[in-house]
């Protein structure tokens, strides 16, 4: 009893205490459902259920009552407390659920939104032609053989029947390294020697695509680097008719079944006889125009029967073996096909050019 005595100015009867509990419950629950944040709920819980809260302060008056009444009011108080605790917890959960829902909604991924466009790359026009050419030769039974871009003077020239100081070397202006015997290949033909030495005496049907380099003035018609596709067939009883038939079949696959071809005599030190293959100008149909410079024909590649000296350098007995070889430039063919006027576009890295293909 001693404990409650200090606040005992006037005693509060049971009915008043019960009314007070009822009032506390009413006020505590009033608008509880409208509270929108957890702090507000916590504050209200503190106000009513906290150590110095309304409930505890109401209970201070229990001591005013006789024992039975005290028990009764105490039970009522506990019920109210229980209901308030329950109501506050429920409101906390409701707020948390709403917050979670809000976050989920804000962070939701709209899968129906169109994605950011990816700047798709594409194959360079020269490489496209290169692949197309390689595909055609593969279909015709030619394996693809990759040969080195850094060569020796011997392979690029000597073994191809151009000994030192041979005048034909002037046709290939060359990038030399600090070692005068080591250079950047000026054509894919040195690959012929590599393949032959690797395969002799087995028959050969290969194409050798790759980059070549020439120490030349860069102009609309010539670049210092460009691709070539070399071809080589070696075997017994291979004739010039095989060369013509094979290259004509190739031209029909690349340029269309109707294309007309012609072979013009030419000269290369590593083939004998040598020729250049032309196709009928597809711009003017052979009548003559600016593209074919009035001739009606477009030069497509160089070719010839492999020179006996070259066969021997490759490890084949030229009295028993023969073969044909050819070389073409995919950039040049791409220029013809798409009427590209300047070979420098291929290395210009200009998207306005590249995106057209
Ligand atoms: N290598 C020659 C060139 O670069 C092309 C060629 C290859 C000619 C094979 C005949 C035989 O011009």
């Amino acid at each position: 009893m001693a404990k409650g005595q200090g606040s005992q100015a006037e005693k509060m009867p049971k009915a008043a205490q019960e009314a007070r509990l009822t009032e506390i419950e009413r006020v505590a629950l009033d608008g509880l459902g409208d509270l929108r944040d957890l702090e507000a709920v916590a504050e209200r819980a503190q106000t009513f259920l906290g150590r110095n809260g309304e409930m505890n302060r109401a209970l201070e008056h229990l001591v005013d009552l006789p024992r039975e009444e005290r028990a009764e009011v105490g039970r009522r108080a506990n019920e109210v407390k229980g209901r308030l605790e329950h109501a506050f917890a429920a409101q906390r959960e409701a707020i948390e659920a709403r917050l979670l829902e809000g976050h989920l909604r804000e962070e939701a991924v709209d899968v129906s939104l169109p994605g950011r466009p990816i700047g798709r790359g594409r194959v360079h026009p020269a490489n496209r032609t290169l692949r197309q050419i390689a595909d055609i030769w593969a279909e015709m039974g030619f394996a693809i053989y990759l040969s080195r871009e850094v060569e020796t003077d011997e392979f690029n020239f000597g073994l191809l029947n151009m000994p030192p100081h041979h005048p034909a070397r002037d046709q290939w202006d060359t990038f030399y390294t600090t070692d005068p015997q080591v250079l950047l290949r000026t054509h894919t033909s040195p690959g012929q020697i590599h393949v032959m030495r690797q395969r002799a005496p087995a028959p050969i049907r290969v194409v050798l695509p790759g980059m070549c380099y020439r120490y030349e003035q860069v102009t609309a018609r010539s670049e210092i680097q460009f691709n070539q596709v070399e071809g080589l067939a070696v075997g017994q009883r291979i004739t010039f008719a095989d060369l013509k038939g094979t290259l004509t079949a190739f031209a029909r696959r690349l340029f269309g079944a109707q294309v007309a071809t012609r072979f013009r005599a030419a000269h290369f030190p590593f083939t004998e006889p040598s020729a250049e293959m032309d196709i009928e100008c597809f711009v003017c149909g052979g009548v003559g125009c600016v593209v074919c410079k009035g001739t009606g024909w477009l030069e497509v590649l160089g070719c010839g029967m492999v020179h006996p000296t070259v066969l021997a350098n490759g490890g084949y007995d030229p009295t028993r073996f023969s073969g044909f070889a050819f070389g073409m430039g995919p950039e040049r063919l791409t220029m013809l096909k798409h009427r590209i006027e300047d070979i420098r576009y291929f290395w210009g890295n200009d998207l306005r050019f590249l995106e057209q293909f």
Side-chain angles (χ1 to χ4, degrees):
M1 289 310 122
K3 199 179 173 201
Q5 274 166 1
S7 56
Q8 220 169 24
E10 44 186 283
K11 298 195 173 205
M12 190 186 271
K14 175 171 178 267
Q17 291 203 24
E18 285 176 342
R20 185 165 177 195
L21 287 174
T22 304
E23 179 62 5
I24 287 175
E25 182 172 4
R26 189 187 68 74
V27 177
L29 296 180
D30 183 39
L32 177 64
D34 297 333
L35 298 184
R36 282 291 167 265
D37 55 87
L38 294 169
E39 292 74 42
V41 177
E43 205 176 290
R44 191 178 286 213
Q46 189 65 27
T47 304
F48 290 93
L49 300 176
R51 191 211 272 263
N52 301 311
E54 293 293 330
M55 280 305 287
N56 279 349
R57 284 208 275 144
L59 291 175
E60 282 170 7
H61 295 281
L62 276 181
V63 294
D64 295 354
L65 302 175
R67 183 180 280 280
E68 329 75 70
E69 287 186 357
R70 204 187 297 166
E72 219 177 297
V73 175
R75 206 178 313 114
R76 276 285 296 276
N78 278 335
E79 285 165 12
V80 170
K81 211 170 157 185
R83 282 198 294 274
L84 291 187
E85 278 166 356
H86 189 80
F88 290 150
Q91 183 59 14
R92 260 195 304 273
E93 277 169 31
I95 290 171
E96 278 166 358
R98 203 173 305 123
L99 286 175
L100 178 63
E101 197 184 300
H103 282 137
L104 288 177
R105 200 177 321 108
E106 278 166 30
E107 294 160 16
V109 175
D110 180 353
V111 292
S112 70
L113 265 184
R116 291 195 197 103
I118 296 169
R120 282 255 200 101
R122 66 195 81 194
V123 178
H124 189 280
N127 284 335
R128 236 176 46 161
T129 310
L130 191 71
R131 290 183 188 182
Q132 210 180 340
I133 292 169
D135 284 349
I136 293 172
W137 286 111
E139 272 177 29
M140 289 170 60
F142 285 70
I144 295 174
Y145 186 102
L146 290 182
S147 186
R148 58 208 311 177
E149 294 178 15
V150 178
E151 272 295 359
T152 58
D153 183 276
E154 195 189 15
F155 273 82
N156 196 77
F157 294 119
L159 295 168
L160 292 173
N161 204 24
M162 286 178 277
H165 311 299
H166 190 287
R169 286 183 172 221
D170 292 350
Q171 286 178 47
W172 292 277
D173 293 307
T174 309
F175 283 112
Y176 289 93
T177 64
T178 47
D179 178 345
Q181 292 309 309
V182 179
L183 47 81
L184 298 183
R185 68 177 175 190
T186 58
H187 51 175
T188 43
S189 299
Q192 290 186 30
I193 304 290
H194 289 294
V195 181
M196 284 192 279
R197 290 194 169 177
Q198 199 175 308
R199 301 273 177 93
I204 293 172
R205 262 192 309 193
V206 293
V207 284
L208 303 107
M211 197 61 75
C212 301
Y213 305 86
R214 288 190 195 170
Y215 183 45
E216 276 177 13
Q217 177 80 44
V218 176
T219 68
R221 298 178 53 83
S222 64
E223 255 289 3
I224 58 171
Q225 68 178 97
F226 52 92
N227 287 288
Q228 277 194 346
V229 178
E230 189 87 6
L232 177 68
V234 176
Q236 280 164 311
R237 291 181 293 281
I238 290 181
T239 68
F240 198 82
D242 294 318
L243 176 154
K244 287 182 74 174
T246 306
L247 287 174
T248 301
F250 164 77
R252 288 182 181 150
R253 286 176 189 238
L254 186 64
F255 296 105
Q258 306 307 315
V259 76
T261 54
R262 76 172 182 185
F263 290 81
R264 267 183 302 105
H267 175 262
F268 301 100
F270 33 89
T271 48
E272 179 59 32
S274 302
E276 274 168 344
M277 183 173 83
D278 295 343
I279 58 166
E280 194 170 64
C281 180
F282 43 72
V283 177
C284 63
V287 178
C289 67
V290 283
V291 176
C292 61
K293 295 196 206 71
T295 63
W297 297 91
L298 299 168
E299 186 196 319
V300 168
L301 52 82
C303 57
M305 300 306 290
V306 182
H307 194 286
T309 303
V310 175
L311 278 174
N313 289 341
Y316 289 83
D317 176 356
T319 63
R320 289 173 53 228
F321 287 87
S322 58
F324 64 80
F326 55 86
M328 64 188 91
E331 281 86 352
R332 220 191 96 73
L333 295 179
T334 309
M335 289 171 78
L336 290 178
K337 236 171 130 170
H338 299 290
R339 290 204 239 163
I340 298 162
E341 273 146 24
D342 195 319
I343 198 170
R344 289 170 290 197
Y345 286 134
F346 288 107
W347 291 102
N349 268 349
D350 189 333
L351 287 178
R352 290 170 302 177
F353 170 71
L354 297 171
E355 281 176 347
Q356 294 179 55
F357 299 94

